Amino acid sequence: MVETRERPLSLSYRRPADRSEKNVLRDVVEDLRHDAQSDLAEVGSGFGLGLISLLFIGPVALLAAWGLQFATGVSFGNDQTWLLAALFWLGGWGGMSALRVVARRGRTTALRRAILADIAEGDVQEESWRFVEAIGFQEAETMPLVYLVLADNGSVVAFEETRLTGRERSPGEKFVSAAPSDAVLVRGARSGILISENYSGPALPLLDVHPLKLAREDRPAHGSLVDRPWMAVAAWMSGRSSIG
């Protein structure tokens, strides 16, 4: 049952950042430098995957075309046509990789600007949380859990078990919940970057453990708020929800 109070204990407020918190933000900015070699390697990897797939698909497509031409007499193009098709195929794979690089660079640039704004303004957001329920999500028997926890004000926050405990569970280790009951999170006021985290109180027992089917890039980050109602998070994280 959800614990009810006349006035929730969870609250947040902005305050001036101290020197150590500003240093954390500066370190994050330094880590957000664009790596041109890594970007080129990703695009090259896209071309490589396209070439490998072409080596498997190309001969099959040629045999099918020759067979249909022999059976029907209809021509499916000359050598130049097939060469252009192969080039378009490779260009498509490389283009998809390039689009991913551009999208990632755009997100990184936006985050960098937000962090620089946090540093310039000198404020952080401090959040005190009281959590009342927790659900676990697991990829496989030996993989660490992702926890979604419900706060007493109705908000939902995500946590990664390895970030809470500082280690991964070993295979066969007896399971003990690490879902926090009380937390103080400090994050950039504009960027939302988690600067520090402190936990207290006993761990919350889990209501249930569900399979984790959501794609890694779509999962909520550690310490982030989840913009979904509590009753819908299990279906979303387990891949049973069609709502994006």
Side-chain angles (χ1 to χ4, degrees):
M1 296 295 293
V2 176
E3 184 178 349
T4 58
R5 296 183 176 87
E6 293 183 0
R7 185 175 182 179
L9 297 180
S10 298
L11 55 90
S12 64
Y13 59 93
R14 288 181 67 154
R15 62 165 175 80
D18 61 31
R19 180 179 299 178
S20 63
E21 290 166 342
K22 290 181 179 179
N23 287 338
V24 170
L25 291 174
R26 292 190 182 99
D27 290 342
V28 173
V29 169
E30 288 298 316
D31 290 339
L32 288 176
R33 294 180 181 273
H34 293 305
D35 186 350
Q37 289 185 342
S38 176
D39 293 342
L40 289 173
E42 184 170 345
V43 175
S45 177
F47 278 111
L49 289 173
L51 180 60
I52 292 173
S53 64
L54 187 62
L55 291 176
F56 285 96
I57 296 175
V60 175
L62 285 173
L63 287 173
W66 289 335
L68 288 173
Q69 183 175 345
F70 179 78
T72 63
V74 177
S75 174
F76 290 90
N78 53 29
D79 292 343
Q80 289 183 339
T81 303
W82 286 98
L83 177 60
L84 285 174
L87 291 176
F88 275 118
W89 179 267
L90 294 175
W93 279 85
M96 286 189 295
S97 296
L99 287 175
R100 286 196 297 269
V101 169
V102 170
R104 186 177 65 248
R105 281 206 170 201
R107 292 192 298 269
T108 301
T109 299
L111 180 58
R112 182 182 178 87
R113 288 174 179 169
I115 297 173
L116 290 173
D118 285 336
I119 296 172
E121 293 178 5
D123 283 348
V124 293
Q125 187 85 9
E126 181 165 322
E127 303 165 355
S128 296
W129 292 100
R130 169 62 61 86
F131 300 117
V132 294
E133 290 185 348
I135 303 175
F137 298 88
Q138 194 171 21
E139 279 186 321
E141 188 64 30
T142 59
M143 294 295 290
L145 288 176
V146 172
Y147 298 100
L148 293 189
V149 291
L150 175 67
D152 62 351
N153 64 0
S155 300
V156 181
V157 185
F159 293 101
E160 297 175 10
E161 183 178 80
T162 51
R163 292 284 296 273
L164 293 170
T165 63
R167 66 181 185 87
E168 291 189 8
R169 283 187 290 117
S170 59
E173 180 180 349
K174 182 180 179 181
F175 173 75
V176 177
S177 172
S181 57
D182 294 271
V184 176
L185 307 179
V186 178
R187 66 179 83 245
R190 286 180 175 268
S191 64
I193 288 292
L194 190 61
I195 298 172
S196 66
E197 49 192 300
N198 290 283
Y199 306 98
S200 60
L204 288 175
L206 298 184
L207 297 177
D208 204 349
V209 177
H210 299 275
L212 179 56
K213 300 295 185 181
L214 198 64
R216 189 169 297 275
E217 61 271 16
D218 295 329
R219 297 173 193 173
H222 175 76
S224 65
L225 273 71
V226 177
D227 188 21
R228 288 175 181 267
W230 177 245
M231 299 304 295
V233 295
W236 171 54
M237 293 284 284
S238 299
R240 303 193 304 270
S241 174
S242 60
I243 301 175

